[in-house]
Each structure stands twice: as C-alpha cells, then as structure tokens.
Amino acid sequence: MKTQVAIIGGGPSGLLLAQLLLRHGIDSVVLERKTKKYVLGRIRAGVLEQGLVRLMEEAGCAERLHAEGHVHDGTLIAYGDEMFRIDFTALTGTPVIVYGQTELTRDLYAAREAAGGSIEFEVEDVAIHGADTDAPHVTYRKDGSDHRLDCDFVAGCDGFHGISRQTIPLDVRREYEKVYPFGWLGILSETPPVNEELIYANSPRGFALCSMRNENLSRYYIQCSLSDKPEDWTDDAFWQELERRIPADQAARLVTGPSIEKSIAPLRSFVTEPMRWGRLFLCGDAAHIVPPTGAKGLNTAASDVHYLNSGLRAFYETGATDGIDSYSARALARVWKAERFSWWFSSLMHRYPDQSDFDLKIQVADLDFLRTNEAAHKAMAENYVGLPY
Ligand code: RFL
Ligand code: PHB
C-alpha cells in the first residue's frame, strides 16, 4: 500500500490531521491499535479552545459542536471561604466551549467514514522504518498478516504509550518530565451539573473539579492518592468527599446519582524534544503530556496538528520545506507555555503530601493575588482560553 502521509494513532490528533489533509487533497492512512468502540469509550477532555474549534470548522466537522457545545464565558475558583470568577470573555474577548473529546472524536470518525478515508483498526506491531531517509515506510500486522505502507511522511499521533516517540534515537531525543504525587479520580454521572460554569476548588482535603458535558451529564474529579483504585471508591464515598471539598452552598445543591464511568488518571508533565526526526513528526500526547488542571492536553495536540498541517500543505502545494523544517520549534514554543500554565495551575490548586506550612502560606498568597489582581486575572484568562497559534 502507498500513501502520502502515514498517520499512526486514531485518537483526536491523528483523525483531525487526516481530515485537514484530506480537505487539501493530501492522502493519508490512519493506523489505530484499538477498535473504534474502545477509542470512543475513553472519557477524557471536555474544554475546547477557540483554536481547536476553528480547526474543526476547517476540517468540516464543527456542525454538531456548534449545535451541542456549550459556550463558557468564565470559570470559578474556590479556596478557603473565598470563591471568585475569571471572566474569559470580558478579559480576552474569547470564551471556551464545553464539548466532550468523545463527541469530537465521534464527529471526526463520521467525517472520515463519509469521505471514504482509510482507517485500519486493530493493527499490531506497528514499526516505522527509514524515517531519516526520503522514503520512509511503516509495517504492521492485521488479521494475522503482515502489511507494508510506503509514504512520504509519518505523523506519530499515537499518544503517550505509542511507538513513534521511541523510534527517535536516544542520542537525538531529550525528555523532560515531572510526576505529581497524586492522581485524579473522575466520575461521569447522568445528573444536572452543580453549577453552570466549572468550579476548580482547593480545599484542605485536596483538589476538586466540577465539570460537565451537558444539562444532564456531569463530570466531577477529586484529587486522590496514587495508590487508590477506582473500585476502592463507592459512589457514595465519592459524593461525600466531593461535598466536603467544594463551597458549602454548592455542596447543598449537588445532585448525586450512580456513576456511569469511574477512572483514575495519574498527573504528569512531560515533553520530548525535538518533535521531528527526518520525516517523522510527533503530534499531541505522543510528544507531550500536561496535568489536566488547565484543560490543555487536547488543545495543545490541536495546535501541533495545525503547524504540521500547514507545513505539509505548503510542501505539497509549492515544494517549500520551511513549514516542515520549523515544525518542531514552532510547536514546542507553544507547548512549553501550555506546560508552564498547567504546572502552575496544578501547583496552585492541589494539596501536596510534603507541603510545609510555608508552602501553604505561599499557595494562599498566590490565590489571593489571583483573586484580587486584574493583571493576574487577565494572564490566567489568556492562558486558559489558549495562547495564539
Ligand atoms: P490519544 O488520545 O492518546 O490517542 C492516541 C491513539 O493512538 C493509539 N495508539 C496506537 N495506534 C497504533 N499503533 C500503536 N502502537 C499505538 N499506540 C497507541 C491509541 O489507541 C489512541 O487511540 O492522543 P492524542 O490524539 O494526541 O490526543 C490527546 C488527548 O487525548 C489528551 O491530550 C487529552 O485527553 C488530555 N485531557 C484534556 N485535554 C484538554 O485539552 N482539555 C481537557 O479538558 C482535558 N481533560 C484530559 C482531560 C486527559 C485526561 N486523562 C484521562 C489523561 C481529562 C483527563 C482525565
Ligand atoms: C473535563 O470536563 O473533563 C475537564 C474540564 C476541565 C479540566 C479538566 C477536565 O481542567
């Protein structure tokens, strides 16, 4: 088989890239390790920046997002007896959109299928060959037989545990990592959200987040220990703990119900450099991870896709290589700012096992400053809605 761009990974990065390329007449094949059902069963991001919304429009996949996504003009931050609001739209002119990654991925699959684009599911043993030559190829197994895909370029969109990053030799690759000493226990429940906007809460018992997908689907998270397992937490225990961590007036009107999904995610900051090796380009979680506190993971994946799509487009339209040559530097410049914001917001909102009284005082001072200072509000809002591409 032959294609122009071999895309490893059928998550949001790979699918969005495939759709954008298709719109510009560039052929690709998507290789996905799991089934479509499995990919759509993963409950992940919920907050989209305008940049990602615009890319979905460019890909021709934004109709349902516009109809069903919810515009959020601000968010609430609670700590101690205080709760304050950051008004994104007043401060930056831009809101964020609440629309689940599951739905966005579903829309991208539907568009790919409607366009007759190729996706190979349940592929095994994917390997990238000759990425440092002008004629790379990818091999994989499917249904018990071996396949070879020849291509001009390879896009590594296979997430944090994928093989693309590992293909870059260790003497070329440099990795930067910070592991946080806690995780997030998340549940999805068919109950109305406690509040119309998200609430990020720093409580003495640890962080909590009240989020949502729609009027009757809530997404809540609480900071948990890394040794906890989802099955250690009954629904009742989860609701009780959430109630203790959010402001009393919010807790009083929390509607509880059975969870329809419950999972634990560890928190990690991670970046690999460079994001390009020869004709292999890394996109999204394959190259970087952020703790979810700033809602930046999917959105940063989207900006990578934007830079790669524009570089590949310029190459196929005019033969220009400056877009692909500058891909890694351009993507990383934005990635590191998202890393900084996610690290800062995580540090501000969580309780750390080894936090001293001094550290706690500094955290409260940082929160007080954010609450009362206009410039701090603006910096927070600009980062949350997404820095320009
Ligand atoms: P994905 O989604 O991991 O997709 C990678 C795909 O590659 C496949 N794959 C392979 N395919 C072929 N061969 C191999 N060897 C392969 N290895 C892997 C996998 O099966 C998978 O289908 O990466 P991608 O596309 O880069 O997308 C990244 C986002 O999924 C991720 O950044 C976000 O979900 C992060 N995130 C959030 N991001 C936001 O922007 N806003 C949020 O509100 C937000 N909330 C979250 C989050 C992530 C969370 N978790 C669980 C980590 C909340 C949570 C709890
Ligand atoms: C979510 O709704 O899943 C969500 C929202 C905001 C975050 C992280 C996750 O910062």
Side-chain angles (χ1 to χ4, degrees):
M1 211 175 7
K2 195 167 175 19
T3 190
Q4 288 172 301
V5 184
I7 300 179
I8 322 255
S13 306
L15 292 169
L16 180 58
L17 179 65
Q19 273 322 99
L20 290 168
L21 292 175
L22 187 74
R23 284 253 143 172
H24 302 292
I26 302 165
D27 184 55
S28 65
V29 171
V30 177
L31 301 176
E32 168 56 48
R33 190 175 54 170
K34 302 284 190 184
T35 61
K36 181 167 131 186
K37 186 162 177 255
Y38 181 93
V39 175
L40 292 176
R42 291 189 296 225
I43 309 295
R44 287 182 164 186
V47 177
L48 314 186
E49 297 174 358
Q50 285 300 328
L52 172 50
V53 173
R54 274 195 294 275
L55 287 175
M56 287 293 282
E57 287 166 355
E58 195 184 327
C61 301
E63 206 174 305
R64 202 160 67 93
L65 189 163
H66 282 307
E68 296 176 19
H70 292 261
V71 175
H72 281 225
D73 291 309
T75 195
L76 295 165
I77 297 180
Y79 69 105
D81 295 327
E82 303 283 354
M83 182 156 83
F84 62 98
R85 180 167 185 266
I86 307 269
D87 191 327
F88 303 142
T89 308
L91 291 160
T92 69
T94 314
V96 291
I97 306 296
V98 169
Y99 189 69
Q101 176 170 332
T102 311
E103 300 311 313
L104 178 136
T105 311
R106 198 187 300 282
D107 296 342
L108 288 166
Y109 272 128
R112 181 100 187 130
E113 283 158 12
S118 165
I119 309 182
E120 299 279 332
F121 287 103
E122 296 182 85
V123 298
E124 294 172 323
D125 301 335
V126 174
I128 302 165
H129 310 269
D132 54 344
T133 71
D134 286 346
H137 71 275
V138 177
T139 54
Y140 59 96
R141 279 182 79 72
K142 186 175 157 73
D143 299 331
S145 52
D146 293 325
H147 296 263
R148 173 182 170 129
L149 178 61
D150 288 287
C151 54
D152 300 332
F153 298 100
V154 181
C157 303
D158 49 353
F160 184 64
H161 301 287
I163 53 94
S164 299
R165 184 176 69 251
Q166 316 296 342
T167 306
I168 303 180
L170 278 172
D171 59 345
V172 176
R173 176 158 48 104
R174 173 117 196 242
E175 300 188 339
Y176 302 83
E177 182 173 46
K178 181 175 176 63
V179 176
Y180 298 79
F182 39 73
W184 277 20
L185 168 65
I187 69 159
L188 196 63
S189 78
E190 285 169 327
T191 50
V194 67
N195 187 64
E196 57 191 18
E197 289 182 343
L198 273 68
I199 304 173
Y200 290 88
N202 173 329
S203 96
R205 299 181 67 92
F207 170 76
L209 169 61
C210 305
S211 182
M212 68 215 59
R213 293 293 176 270
N214 60 46
E215 300 76 7
N216 200 40
L217 193 55
S218 296
R219 182 73 167 151
Y220 295 105
Y221 298 95
I222 55 174
Q223 174 184 347
C224 67
S225 159
L226 279 174
S227 58
D228 286 1
K229 304 267 168 294
E231 53 277 16
D232 299 340
W233 285 86
T234 62
D235 289 354
D236 279 349
F238 181 91
W239 292 119
Q240 272 179 27
E241 190 56 36
L242 179 66
E243 278 176 15
R244 292 191 188 114
R245 295 187 188 191
I246 60 178
D249 57 333
Q250 300 288 336
R253 57 168 200 259
L254 181 69
V255 181
T256 64
S259 64
I260 55 170
E261 195 265 358
K262 193 185 285 162
S263 52
I264 291 183
L267 268 67
R268 185 194 301 272
S269 298
F270 173 89
V271 180
T272 192
E273 293 187 353
M275 286 172 59
R276 175 212 184 172
W277 184 57
R279 288 188 167 229
L280 167 64
F281 299 85
L282 303 179
C283 273
D285 281 15
H288 42 76
I289 297 286
V290 286
T293 325
K296 287 285 154 256
L298 175 62
N299 292 303
T300 312
S303 57
D304 295 349
V305 167
H306 163 74
Y307 295 127
L308 183 54
N309 170 55
S310 59
L312 290 173
R313 223 180 114 187
F315 176 82
Y316 282 111
E317 283 170 3
T318 68
T321 59
D322 48 331
I324 50 180
D325 289 342
S326 61
Y327 168 72
S328 179
R330 289 176 81 197
L332 282 166
R334 192 172 188 279
V335 163
W336 274 112
K337 294 186 190 90
E339 291 283 342
R340 185 210 67 81
F341 175 67
S342 305
W343 161 82
W344 166 76
F345 198 33
S346 298
S347 311
L348 187 70
M349 299 308 296
H350 290 81
R351 294 299 169 115
Y352 287 68
D354 59 351
Q355 220 165 6
S356 66
D357 290 346
F358 178 87
D359 297 335
L360 277 168
K361 286 280 188 191
I362 293 290
Q363 201 180 51
V364 172
D366 206 353
L367 280 158
D368 281 341
F369 181 70
L370 177 60
R371 177 172 58 85
T372 55
N373 184 279
E374 209 182 309
H377 265 235
K378 194 155 194 295
M380 159 74 189
E382 283 183 2
N383 280 281
Y384 197 94
V385 303
L387 297 174
Y389 285 9

